[in-house]
Amino acid sequence: MFVMEKTKSLNLRYNEMCNDWDGLHECIDPKKYKHGQLVLSWKRLNVSVEKITQKFFQKSKITRQQILYNVSGNAQCGNLLGIMGPSGSGKTTLMATISHRTKGNFEGELLLNGRPVSEEVMIKISGFVPQHDITFEQLTTLEHLYLMANLKMDRRTTKTALKARVDYTVITLGMREFLDTALSMLSGGERKKVALAVQLLNDPPILFCDEVTTGLDSYSATHIVNTLKRIARTGKIVICTIHQPASGVFDKFDEIVLLSNGRLAYQGPVPMINQLFQKFSYKCPDLYNKADFLISIMNSDNEQTKRNVDEMCKLSSTDKQTDLNYDLFNDQILLDYTQHLQIQKSLWITQLILILNRSIICLLRNYKVKLLELGTIMFLGVILSTPYLDLKFDTKAVQNWQGFWFSLITNSIFQYCYTSIITYQAEFPVVHREVSNNIYALSVYYISQIVITFIWTVLETMVYTYLVFWVVGVNWELLIVTTFVINMLICRSYGSVLSAFFDKFENIVIFSLVYDYLAISLCGAYISLGTLPFILYYLKYFSIFFLGCETLSILQWRDITFIPCLDVENCLRNGKEVLLSYGYDIDRFNTDIVILGSFYVVLYMIGYYGLLRRTKKQPAY
């Protein structure tokens, strides 16, 4: 422990450890802010993660890696606080922990004005600007802002007040020039502004920003940090992680938290960090980037430098120093931020309308992909139906007709399933983050996707069947088309379930191969179902290939009372005999439709459980 000679007094208030470095104790009168005099404190945080290594024929190996070691600190309203350190030092982990955005457990205390703050409360009163800007990029900036405003703000807010809030945010962040620009066309700095604007719509008293300047040029980075500083001056707690900012950007922060290998090396005003490092004989050269200089010391391989960094960390983490920081705020009371706990979220049906509207907009603006999908399936339909041109009704044509239906059903099932296994792969990271932040319910998004999938599948299938039936000569009758649409809806639900339940394509492929091999062998095209063993006989009802082939075969043959027979010894005289030859039951049509309907419901229920299970994991921030 070292003590510098006292020259003047400055009250650092919530960061008394700086007093040991500069000996300044001057008292500054607290300012009155909109949200009250808020202080967010974290005390002796220890964070670790478990890594599970799966092993065949052995028990899975669980290893624990500690990321943060006994880290303490404070952040006060009105100040812009930066968390800085080398790569892997624990910056994002500290941010996620103090913002309650991590799914893992941590040891230590997280307090607001000296009182414990729960995950539910923290999410309600804080905004989190993530490092990675992922969103539904088909929307324009203004559409995205109004959507988020309707979802995040109190449902009792009038349209006039909501518009005023959006306009104020747009003006504050200087976003007028790109309001009508699609999110996919924005630059890095503009995307950061949009992400920041979304979090400011409900005016949270605490704002977290992860790697807010990463990937931006110096001008954009400076502009973003200046904006954050102005926001902090309105009385908010603003905390940012920064990687290696330019000198001008670094000096704009009021305070800095410096981490080294998961340990706290320093917290205090930016200008005073020089005094700490000079105590260990480190002086930043003139015209040299101060942030680069600090990071180079934290990353140094020199043994003496490592010992000096260890000494800094020990100084910052002593029990006496940590307790001094907390004793100042234990008597504080909860202030104006409690208004955020009284916000009434939009109704479930309102959320559904908003999210469904977003899904429809994205579908319409993503028309090129959908047209390509439709064109592909139409092309395959032509290839599939061309060999069956001008089929006749006689005994020799029975195999051709059944071959057509078998080919149509099996190929269509594969096409519809495999085009839907990407349903949630691209969108889930965005939805996961929004659901975790309690913006809307997972069920809202899930049902909106079911509706969109239903509408698109019906339209696509009607066009597809019209072409294929016209080529082959099948009457485009309502019952046949409806039955085919039902089967394709089941295929889409099956593909969607795979997409919802598995987050890796290889797992989807493995599962689908096992099911498809078993299910397609029971469709009736390769074996007479009446000859199946008792154990396998009832498994056919779990095969969407069998249900599709049987329902459409019944509709094809049930009204055929006479088939011209040229070979008396090998003759199928009517449609019923044709169905029996393949093991199909003419009276089982209604039962099959009920089973298909049950599959539709059950599969989507399983899919919802799969998505719900995945939302329990840490979202991408």
Side-chain angles (χ1 to χ4, degrees):
M1 201 75 174
F2 60 91
V3 179
M4 297 183 64
E5 187 178 3
K6 300 181 180 180
T7 57
K8 58 179 179 178
S9 256
L10 174 65
N11 179 23
L12 298 174
R13 309 181 64 230
Y14 53 95
N15 190 19
E16 288 292 324
M17 70 178 67
C18 294
N19 291 339
D20 289 325
W21 297 327
D22 65 359
L24 306 180
H25 298 286
E26 182 183 349
C27 181
I28 298 178
D29 294 332
K31 299 177 182 179
K32 293 183 179 180
Y33 291 120
K34 180 178 178 181
H35 300 290
Q37 194 73 17
L38 298 181
V39 177
L40 177 66
S41 307
W42 51 98
K43 184 176 183 180
R44 298 186 180 93
L45 291 184
N46 288 278
V47 180
S48 58
V49 294
E50 288 185 352
K51 293 185 178 180
I52 301 177
T53 305
Q54 301 288 351
K55 294 186 176 181
F56 290 104
F57 311 112
Q58 294 183 25
K59 187 177 180 180
S60 298
K61 182 180 179 181
I62 301 177
T63 57
R64 183 180 293 271
Q65 179 182 359
Q66 189 156 352
I67 302 176
L68 295 180
Y69 300 83
N70 203 34
V71 175
S72 302
N74 305 278
Q76 189 178 25
C77 60
N79 284 349
L80 177 60
L81 173 67
I83 301 176
M84 194 177 76
S87 298
S89 60
K91 301 185 298 295
T92 298
T93 300
L94 177 59
M95 173 78 79
T97 302
I98 63 178
S99 64
H100 268 308
R101 260 69 177 188
T102 178
K103 295 294 183 182
N105 295 322
F106 64 88
E107 297 177 359
E109 298 179 73
L110 184 59
L111 309 174
L112 188 60
N113 286 7
R115 300 186 182 183
V117 56
S118 66
E119 177 181 351
E120 180 184 3
V121 170
M122 180 59 77
I123 289 178
K124 284 184 177 181
I125 67 172
S126 66
F128 193 104
V129 181
Q131 176 182 357
H132 303 289
D133 306 307
I134 51 175
T135 186
F136 290 84
E137 297 188 337
Q138 293 83 1
L139 299 180
T140 66
T141 301
L142 191 60
E143 288 171 343
H144 184 56
L145 290 179
Y146 269 106
L147 172 65
M148 290 294 109
N150 279 287
L151 290 170
K152 291 169 68 73
M153 296 178 67
D154 196 309
R155 67 168 181 254
R156 296 166 294 186
T157 304
T158 64
K159 290 184 178 180
T160 303
L162 187 142
K163 181 180 183 301
R165 183 62 193 173
V166 172
D167 291 343
Y168 172 78
T169 305
V170 167
I171 294 172
T172 301
L173 299 181
M175 301 169 58
R176 287 180 174 177
E177 294 182 358
F178 53 91
L179 283 180
D180 297 321
T181 305
L183 296 175
S184 59
M185 304 300 293
L186 298 181
S187 66
E190 290 169 342
R191 292 173 70 93
K192 291 288 186 183
K193 283 187 177 182
V194 173
L196 180 58
V198 168
Q199 301 306 320
L200 293 175
L201 287 171
N202 59 337
D203 194 27
I206 305 175
L207 183 64
F208 299 97
C209 304
D210 188 21
E211 299 281 6
V212 71
T213 60
T214 299
L216 301 182
D217 59 79
S218 297
Y219 175 80
S220 298
T222 302
H223 185 67
I224 289 291
V225 173
N226 278 334
T227 302
L228 291 174
K229 194 163 187 175
R230 289 200 310 270
I231 293 170
R233 291 297 186 263
T234 65
K236 298 182 187 298
I237 296 176
V238 182
I239 305 176
C240 306
T241 59
I242 47 176
H243 185 60
Q244 210 159 339
S247 293
V249 173
F250 179 75
D251 290 331
K252 290 183 181 299
F253 284 86
D254 297 304
E255 298 199 355
I256 202 76
V257 169
L258 189 59
L259 296 177
S260 174
N261 295 320
R263 301 170 299 166
L264 177 66
Y266 172 83
Q267 180 183 355
V270 171
M272 294 168 56
I273 196 170
N274 288 332
Q275 299 182 33
L276 168 65
F277 278 77
Q278 286 174 8
K279 187 67 180 180
F280 290 90
S281 301
Y282 300 118
K283 183 179 179 180
C284 182
D286 294 336
L287 303 179
Y288 195 84
N289 187 329
K290 188 186 299 184
D292 287 344
F293 175 72
L294 298 177
I295 296 299
S296 67
I297 293 176
M298 294 293 107
N299 260 338
S300 176
D301 292 328
N302 182 273
E303 292 300 324
Q304 181 58 46
T305 302
K306 288 182 178 181
R307 286 193 292 270
N308 290 339
V309 172
D310 288 340
E311 186 64 27
M312 296 179 196
C313 295
K314 290 178 182 178
L315 172 66
S316 301
S317 302
T318 61
D319 291 342
K320 178 181 178 181
Q321 199 63 63
T322 300
D323 291 336
L324 279 174
N325 299 331
Y326 280 81
D327 292 340
L328 296 174
F329 310 109
N330 287 339
D331 296 329
Q332 299 260 3
I333 60 173
L334 297 180
L335 297 171
D336 293 346
Y337 79 85
T338 53
Q339 64 178 320
H340 289 267
L341 305 180
Q342 310 303 323
I343 290 178
Q344 295 185 17
K345 289 183 57 181
S346 53
L347 298 173
W348 187 90
I349 188 64
T350 304
Q351 295 179 14
L352 178 60
I353 293 172
L354 292 169
I355 298 302
L356 182 58
N357 182 62
R358 178 177 71 177
S359 299
I360 293 173
I361 292 174
C362 292
L363 175 68
L364 294 176
R365 293 180 182 168
N366 203 29
Y367 69 93
K368 291 183 180 179
V369 174
K370 290 301 179 183
L371 287 178
L372 178 62
E373 179 185 323
L374 179 61
T376 302
I377 200 170
M378 297 287 283
F379 175 73
L380 294 174
V382 171
I383 294 177
L384 182 148
S385 57
T386 300
Y388 300 99
L389 280 168
D390 196 25
L391 290 180
K392 298 179 181 180
F393 280 101
D394 56 36
T395 302
K396 290 184 177 180
V398 168
Q399 182 178 359
N400 294 339
W401 276 107
Q402 281 303 102
F404 164 70
W405 290 114
F406 289 146
S407 297
L408 178 64
I409 287 297
T410 54
N411 284 283
S412 297
I413 286 175
F414 286 124
Q415 291 166 17
Y416 277 74
C417 283
Y418 290 128
T419 54
S420 59
I421 61 175
I422 61 171
T423 302
Y424 303 108
Q425 301 303 319
E427 296 181 355
F428 181 75
V430 184
V431 175
H432 190 186
R433 180 187 294 172
E434 292 174 344
V435 170
S436 296
N437 286 329
N438 206 25
I439 296 176
Y440 54 81
L442 177 63
S443 58
V444 166
Y445 167 75
Y446 194 65
I447 291 178
S448 72
Q449 284 300 111
I450 293 175
V451 173
I452 292 296
T453 302
F454 180 89
I455 294 173
W456 172 246
T457 302
V458 170
L459 294 175
E460 183 182 37
T461 306
M462 291 178 69
V463 176
Y464 175 60
T465 54
Y466 184 84
L467 173 65
V468 173
F469 287 6
W470 176 76
V471 172
V472 177
V474 179
N475 292 329
W476 202 73
E477 298 177 357
L478 179 62
L479 184 57
I480 295 179
V481 173
T482 302
T483 303
F484 190 80
V485 168
I486 291 174
N487 278 278
M488 295 306 103
L489 286 171
I490 305 306
C491 298
R492 282 278 157 83
S493 66
Y494 169 56
S496 296
V497 165
L498 295 179
S499 179
F501 217 85
F502 300 106
D503 54 354
K504 296 181 180 179
F505 277 111
E506 51 265 36
N507 294 335
I508 294 177
V509 172
I510 291 172
F511 180 87
S512 62
L513 281 176
V514 173
Y515 174 79
D516 292 346
Y517 269 68
L518 177 62
I520 200 171
S521 64
L522 298 175
C523 71
Y526 310 105
I527 187 172
S528 177
L529 298 173
T531 64
L532 285 174
F534 178 79
I535 297 177
L536 296 178
Y537 183 79
Y538 289 99
L539 284 179
K540 66 184 181 182
Y541 292 107
F542 292 95
S543 169
I544 56 178
F545 296 92
F546 162 75
L547 294 170
C549 289
E550 182 171 65
T551 51
L552 289 167
S553 295
I554 290 173
L555 293 179
Q556 169 69 35
W557 297 106
R558 69 178 181 180
D559 294 328
I560 305 298
T561 57
F562 175 73
I563 300 176
C565 184
L566 301 178
D567 185 357
V568 179
E569 295 181 358
N570 187 22
C571 186
L572 297 172
R573 292 169 295 181
N574 53 52
K576 186 173 183 179
E577 291 187 3
V578 173
L579 293 172
L580 289 174
S581 68
Y582 287 94
Y584 298 144
D585 188 343
I586 198 171
D587 299 320
R588 209 156 48 200
F589 178 79
N590 291 336
T591 303
D592 290 344
I593 293 297
V594 171
I595 294 175
L596 285 170
S598 301
F599 270 21
Y600 187 75
V601 174
V602 171
L603 284 173
Y604 271 121
M605 290 175 64
I606 295 173
Y608 180 76
Y609 169 75
L611 277 185
L612 187 64
R613 181 178 61 88
R614 289 172 65 182
T615 58
K616 303 299 181 183
K617 300 179 182 178
Q618 176 75 26
Y621 282 114

